[in-house]
Amino acid sequence: TSATSTVIPWKGAKPRDRQVAMTIGDSFSKNVRFDGTNIASFALLTGDTNPLHHDAAYAAQTRFGGIIASGSHVTALLTGMVAGHFADKGLNVGLDFSFRFQAPIRLDDVVQMRWTITGRMPKMSLKGDIITLEGEAVRSDGIAAVSSTAHVLLLVP
């Protein structure tokens, strides 16, 4: 997808700074435009042959009224965004993600993908902190298409 990114860094963060101050309420976001080529390409790469992602004539006759992005496309971008954001904060690994699909993302929608930190808990047995996040993909009309929660383990040196 073509993406324009505005990332709000941790206060005082430097690349690879493992002791970055993180505050509940901190967030990061980017805008993504879902064009026809990217919707179809992503679906084909993942083996999703549903004509809702490939066939404009077929999709026009459905309740969606046209091409829509696959759920796996949106969730891959959201999870990748988390991995990319934490990559310069030290060694990290995603523990779990859950998604709720609320509305379709249509051809040429510009979607704001955003994550907010809602918790941080030291986990001594894992030698790091578990970061809790809430995320969403919001269409330009203000409708939340996908909501999410996630837990990421940020390892301390």
Side-chain angles (χ1 to χ4, degrees):
T1 59
S2 55
T4 308
S5 216
T6 305
V7 176
I8 303 165
W10 304 120
K11 295 168 181 76
K14 295 184 180 97
R16 301 286 177 213
D17 182 355
R18 295 172 189 249
Q19 299 302 319
V20 174
M22 287 183 264
T23 305
I24 292 174
D26 285 349
S27 64
F28 51 101
S29 65
K30 72 177 179 179
N31 292 323
V32 177
R33 181 176 166 266
F34 287 82
D35 66 37
T37 300
N38 292 326
I39 289 172
S41 295
F42 185 91
L44 287 174
L45 283 171
T46 60
D48 184 344
T49 59
N50 185 332
L52 283 171
H53 315 311
H54 306 279
D55 185 335
Y58 171 85
Q61 300 301 314
T62 70
R63 64 191 282 176
F64 301 107
I67 297 285
I68 62 170
S70 69
S72 59
H73 190 168
V74 181
T75 61
L77 291 171
L78 282 165
T79 57
M81 189 177 157
V82 169
H85 179 74
F86 284 100
D88 68 350
K89 316 257 180 302
L91 186 58
N92 70 88
V93 63
L95 298 175
D96 64 69
F97 289 84
S98 66
F99 299 97
R100 183 163 187 266
F101 300 99
Q102 299 166 251
I105 293 177
R106 293 187 171 84
L107 181 66
D108 293 323
D109 272 345
V110 175
V111 176
Q112 183 184 60
M113 302 205 170
R114 57 185 177 224
W115 288 97
T116 302
I117 295 186
T118 59
R120 182 177 183 172
M121 179 182 71
K123 185 71 172 175
M124 300 307 278
S125 64
L126 297 176
K127 299 181 175 130
D129 292 347
I130 295 178
I131 310 299
T132 304
L133 301 114
E134 290 185 10
E136 58 186 352
V138 179
R139 301 184 323 200
S140 58
D141 62 5
I143 293 174
V146 178
S147 60
S148 180
T149 58
H151 294 94
V152 174
L153 175 62
L154 184 60
L155 298 163
V156 293

